[in-house]
Amino acid sequence: MLGLMQSQPLLISNIIEHAARHHPDTEIVSRAIEGGIHRYTYLDAGKRARKLANALGKSGVALGDRIATLAWNGYRHFELYYGISGIGAVMHTVNPRLFPEQIAWIANHAEDKVLFFDLTFLPLVEAIAPLLTTCKTFVLMTDRAHMPELSKAETKVPNLQCYEEMIAPEPDAFVWPEFDENTASSLCYTSGTTGNPKGALYSHRSTVIHALASALPDTLNCSARDCILPVVPMFHVNSWGLAYSCPLVGAKMVFPGAQLDGKSVHDLFEAEKVTMSAGVPTVWLGLLTHMKQHNLRFSTLKSTVIGGSSCPPAMIKSFQDEYGVKVLHAWGMTEMSPLGTVCNLKTKHLGLSKEEQFAIEVTQGRAVFGVDMKIVDDTGKELPWDGKAFGNLMVKGPWVVREYFKGEGGDPLIEGWFPTGDVATISADGYMQITDRSKDVIKSGGEWISSIDLENIAVAHPAVQQAAVIGVLHPKWDERPLLIVVKRPGMDLTREELLKFFEGKIAKWWLPDDVAFTDAIPLGATGKMLKTKLREQFKGYKLPTA
Ligand code: AMP
């Protein structure tokens, strides 16, 4: 027997219409690429998304067409999210921090038809335009006054149009089409640390239910009383879904544009009374350094989501104890839309000591409803949830990838489960803790050493700004850990002092065999430490114990 409820497809256009109708005066504030602050409301965003939908239809964009963006977090990018997906085309957010050849490869693989881009990226687009095989229209996301002299620009970027001119003549009324909720809505390529990048193709259904689940109190806890500033880019898994969950609940949004340095972000937090933010640890490192240098406080910020890489316990402590800001340590992947787990305590933990609570808070947290997870050994046997056994983390759920775009890489699933490539433990209460990326685990004498655990200890040292641990070949033990460190400016630290700091915190055989001081740790396009680069850089490194 079927239920008798209305069967309305879950469509992304419903989100913007809901926000425009029920939160018409709630603001969206952007640091504009042209300079200054731009403000408008969900009512305005809804109107402009509809104008854009009309313009796209007129220019021949049809259901399933891929439309690319190279843009920062800002109001026009937000309109594209809804205008493109709303008409059944696919919003393809491209990471501008990739190499130009990689961007061209991705755009050609996706067969993007139109490319929308911010002024910042004009030189980049000029460089890649000749390499693009399917993209025939380029739209600069600005107004006429900021358009480059067309006769010059068009020699490099053919068919260059102006965003504001494109939407200006269009009516702000539009009836969003209704289609199957499983229709593709947006596309995001993985960073491709092995082989070519692969596309995760989200659907309207997966996006809407992910947005609903993200907003829950024990997930990211978003509401109409919040002012949310996603530092995490809209080109990195849809700002971790915040581009959808914020309008879904009617939260005020603040977009930081291209200025992601500590001062610019802190200024916006204060000026716009931001209550919640989200970003990778490297961004918060910059912010906290700026705050400490200038003795600043947060007057409205209550919580921040930290994910993308393991958040060092020292950073969680600093936010919580020094600034009174709750850290929501979250884990996910491009292939998971991205949310998998978020760390929040349960009632039974509230009576625990601060230290005991902290031991839970440093984990990546519990699975969000919609994500099922397990850890398995190399033979595929499930391992116990005891907080000790660590194995390959597998997930499944309605917003987890089933297959990559165009079947790239074959069938990624193992008996219906997606292997994340992460190694983790899960406690009896279901708190998952990542010990490593499987490729980064250090295999010493047949046992595994967690590089993340060692890095977390190193960055707790006051003179350490950043730390990475990699395995280096060893004649006796196969691999041994090498600790690579960037010192805090103006601080002194010796190898011996740092190694002494590990005493009593880990088993003796985990102690790094050496410390290498360096000026910078290479970061990838999504702000993660590039261990592949470090392994290349330190290839053949002579350990004192070897
Ligand atoms: P991406 O698809 O680029 O977002 O990268 C996903 C990968 O980032 C995951 O598979 C993890 O290896 C890593 N990651 C994401 N969040 C965390 C976290 N909170 N702690 C540790 N690693 C994380």
Side-chain angles (χ1 to χ4, degrees):
M1 189 190 288
L2 292 179
L4 294 174
M5 295 295 115
Q6 298 179 11
S7 91
Q8 193 184 308
L10 300 171
L11 298 178
I12 285 172
S13 51
N14 299 147
I15 297 180
I16 191 68
E17 285 308 316
H18 174 86
R21 193 166 166 82
H22 298 277
H23 304 281
D25 54 355
T26 298
E27 276 187 311
I28 300 176
V29 179
S30 309
R31 202 186 276 285
I33 308 300
E34 297 91 345
I37 296 285
H38 174 275
R39 11 182 116 244
Y40 72 173
T41 62
Y42 278 125
L43 183 70
D44 303 321
K47 282 184 186 164
R48 283 169 54 95
R50 280 181 242 119
K51 278 160 102 50
L52 176 66
N54 280 316
L56 290 171
K58 228 185 219 173
S59 64
V61 173
L63 201 78
D65 281 346
R66 272 79 67 202
I67 310 297
T69 63
L70 275 172
W72 300 109
N73 293 7
Y75 65 103
R76 293 192 185 103
H77 206 179
F78 182 77
E79 293 158 10
L80 284 159
Y81 262 67
Y82 291 91
I84 293 172
S85 304
I87 62 167
V90 178
M91 168 83 176
H92 176 202
T93 49
V94 185
N95 186 338
R97 295 190 183 126
L98 294 169
F99 293 117
E101 298 73 27
Q102 282 176 307
I103 294 177
W105 186 94
I106 288 174
N108 290 337
H109 186 268
E111 297 174 65
D112 293 326
K113 204 167 167 179
V114 184
L115 170 62
F116 286 83
F117 62 103
D118 272 335
L119 267 173
T120 329
F121 304 120
L122 182 59
L124 173 62
V125 174
E126 285 177 345
I128 62 168
L131 308 175
L132 301 182
T133 50
T134 58
C135 186
K136 299 292 171 231
T137 306
F138 297 83
V139 185
L140 192 42
M141 293 158 65
T142 191
D143 52 17
R144 168 55 45 196
H146 292 88
M147 284 296 282
E149 202 189 311
L150 268 189
S151 55
K152 276 192 197 148
E154 272 212 306
T155 54
K156 291 183 180 153
V157 184
N159 198 9
L160 183 62
Q161 299 182 16
C162 164
Y163 183 90
E164 290 301 333
E165 282 188 347
M166 182 181 181
I167 68 167
E170 301 300 329
D172 61 18
F174 180 76
V175 180
W176 298 105
E178 226 180 64
F179 39 74
D180 186 333
E181 64 183 17
N182 290 299
T183 302
S185 58
S186 63
L187 178 63
C188 186
Y189 279 71
T190 61
S191 21
T193 40
T194 48
N196 282 326
K198 295 196 273 294
L201 186 63
Y202 312 112
S203 70
H204 283 257
R205 173 187 154 80
S206 71
T207 303
V208 172
I209 53 177
H210 177 269
L212 280 165
S214 302
L216 289 170
D218 262 11
T219 315
L220 305 186
N221 192 20
C222 309
S223 86
R225 293 163 300 287
D226 278 308
C227 172
I228 300 180
L229 185 154
V231 181
V232 53
M234 291 167 88
F235 54 75
H236 189 198
V237 215
N238 307 319
S239 287
W240 295 344
L242 288 168
Y244 303 110
S245 27
C246 290
L248 183 138
V249 298
K252 173 180 169 182
M253 294 199 84
V254 182
F255 290 125
Q259 284 158 258
L260 303 179
D261 59 285
K263 177 178 178 348
S264 306
V265 172
H266 182 260
D267 285 353
L268 263 188
F269 277 174
E270 293 303 301
E272 297 303 326
K273 301 190 167 46
V274 171
T275 58
M276 204 267 247
S277 190
V280 295
T282 38
V283 161
W284 301 129
L285 188 67
L287 177 72
L288 289 176
T289 307
H290 170 76
M291 305 269 303
K292 283 193 181 131
Q293 269 167 1
H294 297 89
N295 204 12
L296 299 170
R297 308 293 306 164
F298 295 114
S299 41
T300 53
L301 191 71
K302 286 189 297 210
S303 65
T304 187
V305 188
I306 305 187
S309 308
S310 186
C311 178
M315 183 175 280
I316 301 182
K317 246 204 169 87
S318 182
F319 266 113
Q320 303 199 156
D321 296 351
E322 292 173 53
Y323 296 102
V325 173
K326 180 179 157 100
V327 168
L328 295 164
H329 192 192
W331 166 84
M333 314 178 70
T334 307
E335 287 90 335
M336 299 177 68
S337 307
L339 269 183
T341 61
V342 183
C343 196
N344 272 294
L345 299 178
K346 298 184 182 188
T347 306
K348 68 176 186 182
H349 301 134
L350 299 182
L352 296 178
S353 70
K354 241 180 145 220
E355 288 72 43
E356 287 166 321
Q357 288 184 350
F358 190 65
I360 300 172
E361 283 164 343
V362 298
T363 72
Q364 279 79 359
R366 291 180 275 118
V368 177
F369 170 79
V371 173
D372 199 3
M373 63 182 184
K374 63 175 182 180
I375 41 173
V376 300
D377 67 14
D378 284 340
T379 66
K381 191 171 109 302
E382 191 166 351
L383 295 169
W385 289 22
D386 59 7
K388 290 190 189 82
F390 54 94
N392 303 310
L393 180 62
M394 319 279 284
V395 290
K396 63 176 175 180
W399 60 73
V400 177
V401 83
R402 182 181 74 224
E403 174 179 336
Y404 289 102
F405 187 45
K406 293 184 168 176
E408 251 354 285
D411 179 3
L413 305 190
I414 300 171
E415 290 169 2
W417 292 82
F418 178 76
T420 62
D422 287 324
V423 178
T425 60
I426 305 178
S427 75
D429 282 333
Y431 286 81
M432 186 274 286
Q433 185 158 27
I434 304 272
T435 54
D436 249 313
R437 202 65 204 144
S438 57
K439 294 188 294 290
D440 297 336
V441 150
I442 298 156
K443 296 184 181 112
S444 172
E447 299 284 344
W448 288 9
I449 296 176
S450 157
S451 63
I452 294 181
D453 278 3
L454 297 178
E455 287 156 9
N456 284 345
I457 295 172
V459 294
H461 191 287
V464 173
Q465 165 112 347
Q466 254 184 318
V469 176
I470 56 167
V472 171
L473 289 183
H474 190 281
K476 182 165 175 204
W477 302 109
D478 294 337
E479 276 184 349
R480 288 296 301 159
L482 168 67
L483 171 59
I484 302 160
V485 165
V486 179
K487 282 188 254 187
R488 275 195 194 282
M491 298 201 77
D492 264 342
L493 179 67
T494 64
R495 170 188 186 276
E496 286 65 33
E497 280 164 352
L498 187 51
L499 291 180
K500 201 159 174 25
F501 187 68
F502 281 79
E503 268 176 27
K505 298 189 174 87
I506 41 159
K508 270 212 175 98
W509 64 277
W510 275 40
L511 190 71
D513 281 29
D514 205 2
V515 181
F517 293 100
T518 181
D519 292 338
I521 288 177
L523 298 180
T526 50
K528 296 179 213 278
M529 295 194 287
L530 268 188
K531 294 212 176 161
T532 41
K533 265 250 165 73
L534 282 176
R535 278 193 285 266
E536 265 168 41
Q537 200 178 323
F538 288 90
K539 203 170 162 192
Y541 186 89
K542 265 260 157 286
L543 291 170
T545 52

